[in-house]
Amino acid sequence: MLRLDINLLWTVINLLIWFFLIKKFLFKPINGVIQKREEAISSRYAQAEKLQAEAKEEKDRCAAYQAQIEQEKEQAVLEAQEKARAEYDRILADAKEQADQIMETSKKEANLQKERIVGKAEQEIRSLILDAAVTSMRSSGSDGALYDNFLTKAGETHAKH
């Protein structure tokens, strides 16, 4: 059985004093350090979350910027293609215009040469007719000889050309 004596009372008082002393001088500072560490950890965690949110924002901003750059690049390519098509059409139109001018000039030159050749032929025919008329007046001979003379001169002129 347990006896209640003064030693037991002093032991309980001694234990209570030690408990309060340990609680005040040991547990309070340790709890303070633990609390400070928890606060530091929570502040670092909050800072890490903040940095992560900022990084996400930066990533989103970069992605938007990259999308904008891609869009501008595509638009620049389309504009360059349109300019190239316009230049191609212009060059093609110029070439067609030059070809038409060359064809027109060639036709004019061909017509001029034709007119010159026809003019020369007409002059030679007139000359032959005039020679035949002059010869016919001089000789007043037979019509057969006149006709033969005309054919001879016409053949010579035709052979020259």
Side-chain angles (χ1 to χ4, degrees):
M1 269 226 205
L2 267 186
R3 287 187 290 155
L4 282 175
D5 59 356
I6 199 128
N7 283 337
L8 183 63
L9 185 63
W10 284 113
T11 304
V12 170
I13 292 175
N14 206 8
L15 278 174
L16 287 175
I17 291 173
W18 275 109
F19 175 73
F20 289 116
L21 286 174
I22 288 174
K23 185 178 178 184
K24 183 173 181 168
F25 294 112
L26 185 64
F27 288 136
K28 241 184 187 184
I30 288 175
N31 284 338
V33 168
I34 289 173
Q35 187 177 6
K36 285 180 184 178
R37 285 195 177 184
E38 284 177 351
E39 289 173 1
I41 288 171
S42 66
S43 72
R44 284 186 182 171
Y45 185 71
Q47 188 179 14
E49 285 179 343
K50 181 181 173 185
L51 288 174
Q52 190 174 15
E54 287 176 2
K56 187 178 184 317
E57 287 177 17
E58 186 70 24
K59 180 183 173 187
D60 292 342
R61 191 166 43 100
C62 287
Y65 185 67
Q66 186 176 8
Q68 180 184 0
I69 288 173
E70 286 293 324
Q71 185 180 13
E72 289 175 1
K73 181 180 83 172
E74 288 176 13
Q75 187 163 355
V77 167
L78 288 175
E79 287 176 3
Q81 287 175 344
E82 286 179 21
K83 286 180 182 178
R85 280 190 202 113
E87 185 68 16
Y88 172 77
D89 292 341
R90 184 189 64 76
I91 289 172
L92 195 62
D94 288 347
K96 185 176 183 208
E97 184 178 326
Q98 288 177 354
D100 290 345
Q101 287 177 352
I102 290 171
M103 289 294 291
E104 187 177 325
T105 304
S106 297
K107 285 180 183 179
K108 286 180 182 178
E109 286 180 13
N111 285 335
L112 286 174
Q113 285 181 352
K114 179 182 170 186
E115 287 176 10
R116 272 188 260 143
I117 291 171
V118 169
K120 282 184 180 180
E122 286 177 354
Q123 283 179 354
E124 288 182 23
I125 291 172
R126 284 182 192 144
S127 153
L128 285 175
I129 293 173
L130 186 60
D131 285 347
V134 168
T135 307
S136 134
M137 284 183 169
R138 282 188 192 155
S139 66
S140 289
S142 74
D143 287 336
L146 180 62
Y147 181 71
D148 288 339
N149 190 13
F150 175 74
L151 287 179
T152 307
K153 284 199 174 190
E156 289 173 0
T157 305
H158 182 61
K160 287 182 183 176
H161 294 291

